[in-house]
Amino acid sequence: MDGNRHKVPGGPGPSKRKELPIRDTGYRSAKRVKINDARNIRTQKSDAALEDGRLDLQKFLNTREFEIKALQDSMRKCKGANATRVFQSVPREMRRRTASHNVKRVPKRLRARAWKEMIEDNTPTVESRKRRPRTTRARIRAETIKRLRYLAEKKKKQKLQKKSGDESTKKIGAKGTVIETRPPRPKIRRDMLNEPPKTDSKFKKRQINKTWLPTHLWHAKRATMTEPSKPLWGFSLPLTPTAKCYRSTHRASGQKGVVVWDTSYMSTASLYGTSQGIERVLKALGLTQESLWGSRGQKWRSGLRKWTGVLSSQRGDSRRDIAPATIVWNPEPPARDVEMDGSAAQTKKPQRQVLFRIHPSAFIELFEQLLKLVKMETPRLHVEDLRYEIGSIELTGPGSTETLLGVLQPFHDTPDNLECHGQVFQSLAGVTNPATLPKDALLAFSVKDPRLSFPPKRLRLPGDNGAALLETLTKWPVEENLKPFDICNRESRYKASKLPSQKTINRRKGSNPPGQPLQLAPTDPSIPVMLLASRSSADGQAQGTWTMLAPWKCIQAIWYCMMHYPLTTGGNPRLGGLEEQRQIAFEHGTPWFPGDFPATNAGLNWELEQRLKRKRDWDRRPKGKRIEWNSLDLGAGRKGEVGDGLACDFEHLFCLPKPCTPPTQETGASNPGSMDIDPSEKSSNPRNSSLPALSAIQRVSKPSFNALIGPGATGSPPANSVITVGITFVARGVASPCARIYRLPTRTAVSVLPSTQAEVPATDPSVGSGSMPHDLKDQWLAKLLQKSANAEGITRQLNGVPRMPPGVDMETRKKLLAKSLITTELPYPRPPANQTDIGGHPLCPDEKDLIGFVTTGSFCLSEGKGTAIGSISAEKALETVRETGTREGRLCITESGCCISGFGLLRATTAKAPDFLRITRYPYNHIPMDRDNHRPSNPDQGTQRRGTIAQGPSFMAPSPLSPALADPADNNPVGPPELSDVDYLREVLLVQSADITEDVIERELVDKAAALGVDLPIGRRLVYEELNHVSADDSAETLIIQHNRTISTSSNATTTSGLTSRHSTVISATLTESSSVRRRSRSLTFSHYEKYLSQINPALDQPRFHRLYADKAERSGGLLRRSGTRKGVQELKRSITNRLKKRKPNPSSATPIPCICCREDFTRDNNTLQTLPCGHTYCVGCLEVMIAQSTTDESKMPPRCCTQPIPSGIIKTVLPKDKQQLFLKAVQQFSTPWEARVFCPNTACNEFIPPPSKLDPKHPFEAICKYCKTKVCTMCKRNSHRLGQDCPEDRDLDAVLKIGETSGWRRCYKCRTLVELVQGCTHITCRCKAQFCYICGAVWDPAVGCPNFCNGEEELERRRMLEEARLAEIEAEELARVKAAEAEELARQEAERRTAENSQFKRLRKEQEAEMNRFRVFEQKAMAAMRARQSSKKLALVEKYSEQVEKMRERHAKTEQHLEDRQVLAEFELHASLEEKEKKIRLKLRYMEEYVNGNNKLMADKNRDSKMPVREITMKDREQLRQQYCIRDGMERRHQSQVNVLREKQAKALEELVERHAKEMNALVDKRAREIENLAIAFADEEEAALIKFRDRKARLEGRWRIASEMLRVKLEKQHEVPYAASPLPVWPEADPDVVTSTNGE
């Protein structure tokens, strides 16, 4: 065997692989043969060992030996044929690319096995770099390194031997005394930058130009790190996990789970000195708000809150932003600690400390600014660099609080010594969003070493924590026993960094009893931490963030435990990198620093680095796949992108000087071995030359910008200033970084020649080469109006002709096409490409309308559409708003590489975002939607990549729009005229002025009430405009189906469904399954579904009207035979009509009917359509999908349409047998209340366990899974408990036990039954035959009695006395309560008497009753007027259709009469022709008879006289005569058949005419029925709106009455100083049925 195959793991292996004897083409077949051979075990028959009934022992043993060897050989071959390698057993996110041939890339525990596999498989391995030095210098250097390594190891051993257990050093003084000193600590230099912490020697070389995070080794195996030669902000940071995590990060941060970041790279600085000096320094950094230094900022200055905002510095006459920062004050020491200091407190002023937490890219700038400011203060302040002293971890997601509670355990020796903040932290169990905490809340306390309780256990939330948690969040008791934070103390941080090693903890765990938690040792230090709760500034509903500050060296221990915490929702916390941090900030709509802050030095540096990166990526692309920015066609003769296409070119926007652009080269500043260059060459670096020019950019805050656009404002923003805005798509499309943001172009006046020079031009002068269309702004506004109309479902014509509606006939298609050709004006001659539009879209605005750039843009999962963040020029934005107003001035257009990205509306965000605006924009590259089917008209159109032209709708032609464009959001529907507020104010409220409204009256009343201290609500506000109205015309043309959606919210154990206002099912909380004596069937039936439908809330929102399409057929006789008279024609007509009615087919079976869901056409012949109770038709596929969705989503069970459940018969028809059982299982599960649902705790089963039909008296709280036979406790939903063990979730049992403990009952030690001693001795014999002492509960000894020798009589007497005292106390309390209630009742009666006798209350009551009477009269009059208007409208509609029906009947009668006349005439003509034929036949027959049977003699005489031969009668003549007789005999039958054929043709023609007339009449009747039905629906909606309106007015009226009565009561009490009762409101009489009508019918 080759010697290279026997080497130690990690050593060099063979360099080449042996050639396999199997060819590549047959490798798989050979491998299959190999596996089959390994799995087959050969055997030998033992028949030869048995001869003549005697057993040959030797042969039998040989046979067994052969089988054993064959088994061992098969096991060895199976192990060798295994296709799974060692490196494949490593989790996918931790695998390395070279793990298959380098054992060092495999964990240590698997390296020996991996090396063995590589040897057996002859895998080429990596050789270690071992080369002998070739020169003398290299040899001396290698020997020196070896000698130094030996000395270092020797010195390290000596240090370990000398190191004592307490790490304290001893020094001998001059007189021989021993002085103990503390171990040395790392120094923190004041007013200077500190050095990074010392690293291990083996990692020192890798950290020459960067610093590792405390968790670097953990991240290096699971995340993509920054390049070693290109650190980010001086740190090696994780960029993103190696596994795909974009969507999972979104779900973990917002739905369930938690995302964790190691943010120890965030810099921390400390400023300490006098409080007055610190205040002056902070004001110099921009903290000048009055809310910080007044009474509102007291909590922040006392250390109970944090402050987060943007710091700035003074630059000449203006200020420039530094970066967002967090500032925390360290609390002052308690007063008793100050008194203990004695004289020191009198000579020194109190020192305060402030912590700054800022991004590392701006830390140096902030540190230098602080040094500059503290030098000007007297007494001197000092600054400390705590970057490597304090680390941090950030958590976000619903499980963030749970993770912190599960890992961090407050440190305390005894429960009484627990810190106040630690108690508050422990009471936060159940918080799923840190944003629910008080704003800028913080907690600082000490925790235990989390490794002592590793692995962390899942947190069990207490059941009754809701009220306690609400009280904690409301009061937030963190002010008690407030003391300075330990994390701000250098000594506390140093002690916490001296954590015991992992080996020490492992030894302690090994010696600890199994199952017992590890107890604290005296050497275990406490870890000071600080928790900061933050909330998103853009969205108040977004998830908040926890930031945990801890000592730098403690971060690793906390991180390991935190990543192994098992969440209650499943899984562990997810790792997040820098990209995930940007993603979360982007989804929350907040700017990310430094990428979205171009007005800071850190943001400009980031932008310059990104420019170089984009340029390198652009250079690496082939020419065919990259955008040539200089040759882009922007339309109207414009070539080339505006500015630099690879940058947010603010230099071009603000006309700043351009930097020198030498050839792109990498700077060598980060390479230690690079050569020095001349200063002139250094200054030519684009980054260094661009920074001074870009430093002129400033940021304008949102309050400052709002002050400039306010009424009467005349100021202007600073030069080169920007504002940060948010961009949200209205429809499809995304914006990439560096996209251009344009404002709406200005309208250009069309030049008109004088009359003397007037002539007709050959072409349009406005579309000449190099000119922009004069109506470009109107085109963009037309796009906005088109989008608004499509969003509201409006089908009216906007610009040009709408899309061709489906299902129209050819004649209508021709008319629509002709109309579109006539209305669309085509220029002649056609302009060149990209001259007036780009692919049918309006052109991009000109360079003068450029206002900013997009800094971050992508598809936002939280919004479900594309969003972006950008910066725009404050000066141009202000100019646009002042010129065009706030409506058009807030519109913008974005463009990215000649691709119009969007068109939108500028809106400000909530007040929580002080420096952030939001733009809503309309994406230009959207998919045009079919208005009728609500589907994309062209699936190939959509969002296209950067640099291409997005195609838009081509059928809709834009037209100029009026400048006075109304906002679509301001168009409110108009209600019935009877609901006019003017008449109501004039007739009921007696208000004559048109300027006074009901809101003004209420506002004045509320202000007066507030002045008297009365705070009562007016009442509910239900306005008519909030209702959805569908007019009769729109409803007749368009059918809009709205499906109500539900939102599901998950809890810890189960899932509940929150239904919308128009819900269909409300499951009762007491819904249970009735017990049955007979055995439950294994297969479920639809009786469960019927029972479920009968148990849900029957108050469903049923439709008001139902359309009935079934027609009743009349039975009549068959076709009557008639004669050719008019009376017979009438009889035939009646017979045909009766027969048509009898066999009239269902029109829906032959006419294609569309499915209401997928809009496909079907017929009823193939049973693919099902009609639901609401009247809508669904195809089988859509019904199956709907039913399948209801089995997985409880909010959609039962499956329904228009809030009506689908019957079981339809479900049986649609679903196959297997899916029926799945559906019935879901019905059985959802019919059980969520609190009573039990699932199998077996992870391999997880099946639903239905409630048992009959309870087991021995085990009433136990259920058995019928699939895996697992026993489950129905109380705690876990595995069943042992006999005698109580369920921890049985709260009723706990309550009974508490009562028993109070009453002195005793519990049996055997059967756990409570026993009460009523009479007799203390020797208790339970029903389970167990004997015990009632006093102490000990087991009764038959010989001795109670082993504790309890005195039963004394104990019983003591209990009796206690019970009597308790009863007496209860009786006294009851007596006092009765007396208090009587006194209260007397006071109330006296107050009511004063109120009833007071004249002012009487006068107020009369005014209210008069107002009530006016209200009732107005309501009756309005409802009567509405009914009269509706009746007249309905009567007009009925008369209109009655007239049309009569006209149609007359026309049909004339047509039928005309057809009957023609048919009678045709029958008469047929009869005449047949009679003529009969005459001819009879004449011919007479001649033939005379010829044959005539006078032969006479004929002979004539022939003899004429000398002609005698004519003879032959057989042929007789045969012809016979045939003529046959013709005569069949002539009548033949004529009758011709008449019958004519009559059948006439009957068929008449039948077709009658059928056509019946169809026309039915169509008209159906149209009339639809019109009447739509009119009735509209009337019902109006009446319902009127009732809601009057109920709202009534509620508001009662609210004003209540406030007026309360105001009068308070006024009288202040005046007379005696209590008055509230005056009762006037009682409304019962509703008059003639006034309040039902909306369910006419």
Side-chain angles (χ1 to χ4, degrees), residues 1375-1636:
L1375 183 60
R1377 187 184 62 80
V1378 170
K1379 291 182 178 180
E1382 292 177 354
E1384 185 179 356
E1385 180 66 20
L1386 291 175
R1388 186 184 61 81
Q1389 293 177 0
E1390 184 66 21
E1392 290 180 353
R1393 184 188 61 78
R1394 294 192 194 98
T1395 302
E1397 295 176 356
N1398 189 272
S1399 60
Q1400 299 183 18
F1401 273 110
K1402 292 180 180 179
R1403 184 169 59 256
L1404 179 62
R1405 179 64 179 268
K1406 290 182 180 180
E1407 293 176 358
Q1408 293 176 355
E1409 290 178 352
E1411 197 169 16
M1412 179 183 67
N1413 295 331
R1414 293 196 301 269
F1415 181 88
R1416 295 185 66 250
V1417 171
F1418 179 78
E1419 182 181 9
Q1420 294 176 3
K1421 183 174 66 174
M1423 298 301 293
M1426 180 181 296
R1427 287 198 302 271
R1429 178 176 55 82
Q1430 293 176 355
S1431 300
S1432 61
K1433 193 172 182 179
K1434 183 178 180 180
L1435 181 61
L1437 182 64
V1438 172
E1439 292 178 354
K1440 170 187 172 184
Y1441 277 100
S1442 299
E1443 183 179 356
Q1444 292 181 4
V1445 169
E1446 291 297 330
K1447 289 182 180 180
M1448 183 176 290
R1449 286 177 179 173
E1450 292 177 1
R1451 180 167 54 83
H1452 290 174
K1454 291 180 181 180
T1455 306
E1456 293 172 1
Q1457 183 67 31
H1458 181 63
L1459 179 62
E1460 291 175 2
D1461 294 341
R1462 286 191 289 111
Q1463 289 181 353
V1464 171
L1465 180 61
E1467 189 172 355
F1468 285 158
E1469 291 176 356
L1470 178 62
H1471 277 288
S1473 63
L1474 292 179
E1475 290 176 357
E1476 186 68 24
K1477 288 182 181 180
E1478 185 178 359
K1479 289 180 180 180
K1480 291 181 179 179
I1481 290 174
R1482 293 185 180 277
L1483 181 62
K1484 184 178 180 180
L1485 181 61
R1486 187 166 59 84
Y1487 286 156
M1488 293 180 68
E1489 288 177 348
E1490 291 180 356
Y1491 178 77
V1492 174
N1493 299 327
N1495 192 355
N1496 294 334
K1497 295 181 179 180
L1498 181 60
M1499 294 298 297
D1501 294 342
K1502 288 183 179 180
N1503 292 337
R1504 189 184 310 106
D1505 296 340
S1506 61
K1507 298 180 180 182
M1508 294 292 291
V1510 179
R1511 184 175 181 179
E1512 297 180 358
I1513 303 302
T1514 63
M1515 292 300 296
K1516 182 178 180 181
D1517 296 335
R1518 296 185 181 276
E1519 182 65 23
Q1520 289 179 355
L1521 180 61
R1522 188 184 63 80
Q1523 291 179 359
Q1524 195 67 22
Y1525 280 130
C1526 292
I1527 292 174
R1528 185 196 62 184
D1529 296 339
M1531 179 178 59
E1532 185 176 357
R1533 293 191 304 271
R1534 210 166 38 250
H1535 290 181
Q1536 185 64 34
S1537 65
Q1538 291 181 3
V1539 172
N1540 292 338
V1541 169
L1542 177 63
R1543 289 176 179 175
E1544 287 292 336
K1545 290 183 178 179
Q1546 292 177 351
K1548 186 176 181 181
L1550 185 60
E1551 180 179 350
E1552 292 177 355
L1553 179 63
V1554 172
E1555 183 176 1
R1556 187 167 63 253
H1557 288 174
K1559 287 184 178 180
E1560 292 180 2
M1561 183 62 68
N1562 291 336
L1564 183 59
V1565 171
D1566 291 342
K1567 184 177 179 181
R1568 179 183 63 180
R1570 286 195 301 270
E1571 291 288 344
I1572 293 176
E1573 180 179 351
N1574 294 332
L1575 191 62
I1577 292 175
F1579 291 166
D1581 290 339
E1582 288 182 0
E1583 291 186 5
E1584 183 178 1
L1587 293 177
I1588 293 176
K1589 184 70 173 180
F1590 280 112
R1591 281 199 297 268
D1592 174 56
R1593 289 174 175 174
K1594 181 178 178 181
R1596 297 175 68 177
L1597 195 63
E1598 291 178 350
R1600 292 195 295 271
W1601 291 349
R1602 193 176 295 107
I1603 291 179
S1605 176
E1606 188 67 17
M1607 290 172 56
L1608 181 59
R1609 185 185 66 82
V1610 173
K1611 186 176 180 181
L1612 291 176
E1613 286 181 353
K1614 292 182 178 179
Q1615 183 177 358
H1616 300 94
E1617 296 182 354
V1618 291
Y1620 282 82
S1623 176
L1625 298 180
V1627 180
W1628 293 85
E1630 295 183 358
D1632 189 359
D1634 296 333
V1635 178
V1636 184

Side-chain angles (χ1 to χ4, degrees), residues 772-993:
M772 301 288 289
H774 67 279
D775 60 343
L776 183 59
K777 183 175 182 179
D778 296 332
Q779 294 180 19
W780 281 110
L781 291 176
K783 286 293 178 181
L784 176 63
L785 183 60
Q786 173 186 351
K787 173 59 188 172
S788 302
N790 291 339
E792 297 177 2
I794 300 176
T795 57
R796 62 178 181 271
Q797 177 180 354
L798 295 175
N799 296 316
V801 183
R803 295 184 179 277
M804 194 71 69
V808 299
D809 53 357
M810 184 56 65
E811 201 65 31
T812 306
R813 289 177 179 270
K814 291 179 181 180
K815 292 181 180 179
L816 291 177
L817 181 60
K819 186 177 180 180
S820 64
L821 294 176
I822 294 174
T823 56
T824 304
E825 298 180 1
L826 298 177
Y828 182 80
R830 175 177 291 181
N834 296 342
Q835 182 63 40
T836 59
D837 57 10
I838 299 180
H841 299 278
L843 292 177
C844 174
D846 209 351
E847 182 179 356
K848 62 182 180 180
D849 296 319
L850 176 68
I851 60 174
F853 302 91
V854 172
T855 55
T856 302
S858 181
F859 185 86
C860 182
L861 294 177
S862 61
E863 296 288 340
K865 52 189 174 183
T867 59
I869 297 174
S871 297
I872 61 176
S873 172
E875 184 178 1
K876 291 188 177 182
L878 179 63
E879 176 186 355
T880 306
V881 171
R882 286 180 176 176
E883 288 180 356
T884 61
T886 56
R887 181 168 296 174
E888 291 186 5
R890 293 160 56 190
L891 298 173
C892 75
I893 306 165
T894 58
E895 176 265 336
S896 177
C898 197
C899 175
I900 306 299
S901 301
F903 174 49
L905 180 66
L906 175 66
R907 294 177 182 173
T909 57
T910 59
K912 297 179 181 179
D915 303 326
F916 191 52
L917 303 178
R918 180 162 294 278
I919 296 179
T920 303
R921 61 190 184 86
Y922 171 77
Y924 198 80
N925 47 350
H926 70 285
I927 297 180
M929 302 295 292
D930 194 336
R931 293 186 179 182
D932 296 311
N933 296 335
H934 303 282
R935 292 181 294 180
S937 58
N938 187 359
D940 296 333
Q941 295 179 0
T943 304
Q944 303 185 7
R945 67 177 182 87
R946 179 183 173 96
T948 60
I949 300 176
Q951 300 296 330
S954 58
F955 195 87
M956 187 72 69
S959 62
L961 191 66
S962 173
L965 176 64
D967 192 352
D970 297 336
N971 296 333
N972 296 326
V974 181
E978 292 80 11
L979 303 181
S980 174
D981 290 337
V982 178
D983 298 338
Y984 174 74
L985 292 173
R986 183 180 65 255
E987 298 182 14
V988 178
L989 303 183
L990 304 179
V991 176
Q992 304 299 330
S993 176

